[in-house]
Amino acid sequence: AETTEMKHALAAMEKAIEVLVKATSAKGKEGKEGAALLQARTQAKAAMKTVIAALPANADLSMDRVAQLTAFAQEASHEEYMPQSFTVQGILTDMYDTFASDLESATRDEAAANTKFEDYIAVKTEELKLMEADKQKKEGEKAEAEVRLADTQEMYDDTVAQKEADIKFFDETTKACEAKHEEWTLRSSLREEEIAGIVKALEILTSDEARELFASSIKAGKEVGASDAYDTGRDITPSFMQI
């Protein structure tokens, strides 16, 4: 943008210098030539206004020179015009040389900046390619990780379900075992009581008193009308021991 403004300003200065030279060469002529001088002065003032409008906002110009250029662009008498014209031509020539030198320097700086910018863009483009490749790699790894996570989550859910089923089975088995234990305890207790009763009964029936009682109360064959000499082939006393 800066070089573009300077180019426009240089073009306006070159045009203004050309117009001023033509206007100066027409000095002192009258009649038809005098009208040409008036026309040249008008063109010179218009060209000067164009130069002032085309000057860059950041141009390094002294206020004195700007004031002289502005004054020349205003209406002036015929006597004032010629001295001002030569002065303005000198100012414009100096400004043209300065602007041309600045433009050349700015063009070199801009070219160097463009080259530097292009190198920077090339580096960043390469970095972008690498980052995009890394991004694709990371996205692939992410997709694989998501698949593994889904599989692991499914395994976890199955394990939790199996665990809950095992806990339920364990609880049911525990309750069943406790019930069986209670039943067995009760049955064992009853069995022990039965055995204790049988043992007690055997103690009573096999005691000496019981033997004597049975011996005195039961006579062989009396209750059934059998002979006392009838031998059954069995010993009555041992039979009580088997009860």
Side-chain angles (χ1 to χ4, degrees):
E2 181 179 358
T3 56
T4 301
E5 291 180 351
M6 293 179 70
K7 288 179 181 179
H8 290 165
L10 284 171
M13 290 178 195
E14 185 177 0
K15 180 66 176 178
I17 292 171
E18 181 182 349
V19 172
L20 286 172
V21 170
K22 288 181 180 180
T24 303
S25 65
K27 179 183 178 295
K29 297 182 180 180
E30 298 179 357
K32 186 175 181 180
E33 296 297 329
L37 175 60
L38 181 60
Q39 182 179 4
R41 287 175 56 189
T42 302
Q43 292 175 351
K45 292 179 184 293
M48 188 54 55
K49 291 179 180 179
T50 302
V51 170
I52 295 172
L55 290 175
N58 60 346
D60 186 13
L61 298 173
S62 66
M63 297 300 297
D64 204 26
R65 285 190 170 188
V66 175
Q68 287 179 311
L69 295 178
T70 303
F72 183 80
Q74 304 297 327
E75 290 294 335
S77 63
H78 177 72
E79 293 77 11
E80 296 175 348
Y81 174 77
M82 293 310 297
Q84 288 181 353
S85 178
F86 287 114
T87 302
V88 169
Q89 286 183 47
I91 294 173
L92 288 178
T93 301
D94 291 341
M95 290 175 58
Y96 185 89
D97 293 340
T98 301
F99 270 61
S101 177
D102 292 344
L103 177 60
E104 184 178 356
S105 177
T107 301
R108 287 196 302 269
D109 293 343
E110 186 174 341
N114 287 338
T115 301
K116 185 177 180 180
F117 178 74
E118 289 173 358
D119 293 341
Y120 175 80
I121 291 299
V123 171
K124 292 302 177 183
T125 300
E126 188 64 25
E127 290 179 356
L128 179 61
K129 290 180 180 179
L130 294 175
M131 287 188 290
E132 287 178 345
D134 186 62
K135 177 186 175 184
Q136 291 179 354
K137 179 181 177 182
K138 295 297 183 183
E139 288 177 347
E141 293 176 352
K142 177 185 176 185
E144 293 177 358
E146 288 176 347
V147 171
R148 290 196 300 270
L149 177 61
D151 294 340
T152 304
Q153 184 65 43
E154 184 177 359
M155 291 176 61
Y156 175 79
D157 294 339
D158 293 342
T159 303
V160 170
Q162 184 62 46
K163 173 188 173 184
E164 292 175 352
D166 292 343
I167 291 173
K168 181 179 179 182
F169 175 76
F170 177 79
D171 292 340
E172 292 176 351
T173 304
T174 301
K175 290 179 181 179
C177 289
E178 290 175 351
K180 293 293 183 182
H181 175 70
E182 291 177 358
E183 292 177 1
W184 172 254
T185 301
L186 179 59
R187 290 173 60 189
S188 296
S189 177
L190 294 175
R191 183 63 175 170
E192 288 176 356
E193 291 179 359
E194 291 176 354
I195 293 174
I198 293 172
V199 170
K200 186 66 175 175
L202 288 174
E203 290 178 354
I204 295 172
L205 293 175
T206 57
S207 65
D208 294 337
E209 292 81 1
R211 291 174 184 272
E212 293 176 358
L213 178 61
F214 290 139
S216 61
S217 300
I218 301 175
K219 294 188 180 294
K222 182 178 182 180
E223 286 77 8
V224 295
S227 173
D228 290 342
Y230 179 74
D231 185 6
T232 61
R234 295 179 63 184
D235 187 1
I236 297 175
T237 302
S239 66
F240 287 106
M241 296 295 294
Q242 297 175 358
I243 295 175

